[in-house]
Amino acid sequence: MSYSPQGFRMLPTAVKHILIINIIMFLATLVLERMGGPTGRMITNMLALWPAESPYFHFWQPVTYMFMHGGFDHIFFNMFALWMFGYILENYWGTKRFLVYYFVCGIGAAIVNMLVMHYTHGIYPTVGASGAVYGILLAFGMMFPEERIYLYFLMPIKAKWFVIGYAAIELFEGIMASHDGIAHFAHLGGMLFGLILILYWKRTGGGHRKLYD
């Protein structure tokens, strides 16, 4: 395992700023919604991801929806996973490469989610960084397949099996069309676009340990 020339950092630049922006957006949205009136709804309508058929859809939403969350549990687990796996990847890849990967996964998740909503005729907003985070999880499993992750902080499991297991669960839940309010295919979309990008980098000689800023 090797890291960037800047040294190993527990809170590198990209991860730190993504965390800060998400927390600020969550608190601001929470305050506006608690105030009542049309302002809170306007924020959701403007920044959440709506299907292309919706009158609320705007071209910037495949980016902005990643910085919106539906509740404390939602943002906590997304941000914890972002830090847990993201800081290692950013140290490994470098900040610029990590940011490219993060946004490709997040936007890819949005594209897949919009396609699913189009074919299922769903008209509802989607929020959260989960698609990008699932892409980070995939990258960690591919870069460090033999590293051990402690499931529920107790049971050790190799990263490659952890990733495969999560992908299988998301696929099963998505196919079963569970009405749990979770965009399972968006998660898979983030992993798919992440996989494509990593394979492209490997093919062009740009996805391994030489990737430093």
Side-chain angles (χ1 to χ4, degrees):
M1 187 181 297
S2 62
Y3 299 99
S4 66
Q6 292 88 352
F8 184 86
R9 293 170 292 173
M10 292 296 292
L11 195 61
T13 303
V15 170
K16 177 176 69 176
H17 285 91
I18 293 170
L19 287 170
I20 291 172
I21 294 171
N22 272 280
I23 292 170
I24 290 174
M25 288 295 297
F26 177 71
L27 293 176
T29 304
L30 186 65
V31 169
L32 290 172
E33 288 178 347
R34 291 289 175 86
M35 290 173 61
T39 306
R41 292 192 298 273
M42 181 182 70
I43 293 295
T44 298
N45 292 343
M46 291 289 289
L47 301 182
L49 178 67
W50 288 87
E53 297 84 357
S54 170
Y56 299 121
F57 176 75
H58 298 285
F59 69 88
W60 57 76
Q61 290 174 355
V63 174
T64 57
Y65 88 105
M66 288 187 276
F67 299 98
M68 304 280 287
H69 287 85
F72 178 77
D73 289 347
H74 192 200
I75 189 171
F76 174 79
F77 286 109
N78 271 348
M79 295 303 99
F80 180 73
L82 167 65
W83 172 79
M84 182 177 178
F85 301 106
Y87 86 90
I88 297 175
L89 288 171
E90 186 178 348
N91 278 291
Y92 185 71
W93 277 340
T95 297
K96 292 179 182 178
R97 187 72 58 165
F98 177 82
L99 279 173
V100 168
Y101 183 82
Y102 183 85
F103 281 102
V104 165
C105 290
I107 294 171
I111 292 171
V112 171
N113 194 63
M114 291 173 67
L115 288 172
V116 170
M117 286 194 289
H118 172 75
Y119 286 107
T120 60
H121 307 290
I123 304 293
Y124 50 83
T126 302
V127 295
S130 300
V133 169
Y134 268 76
I136 288 175
L137 177 62
L138 173 99
F140 185 88
M142 293 184 69
M143 297 297 103
F144 314 108
E146 302 301 319
E147 290 292 317
R148 294 189 180 276
I149 298 170
Y150 283 84
L151 194 63
Y152 301 112
F153 302 101
L154 294 173
M155 186 173 66
I157 181 173
K158 289 185 177 181
K160 59 184 177 182
W161 302 123
F162 183 81
V163 171
I164 291 172
Y166 256 88
I169 291 171
E170 290 300 314
L171 181 60
F172 175 78
E173 293 287 349
I175 292 174
M176 294 300 292
S178 58
H179 300 286
D180 54 7
I182 299 174
H184 297 287
F185 283 108
H187 300 168
L188 292 170
M191 298 180 89
L192 173 63
F193 273 74
L195 175 63
I196 293 170
L197 184 55
I198 289 173
L199 292 177
Y200 171 76
W201 283 343
K202 286 186 175 181
R203 183 176 180 181
T204 58
H208 266 296
R209 299 171 184 175
K210 295 181 285 187
L211 293 181
Y212 303 134
D213 291 345

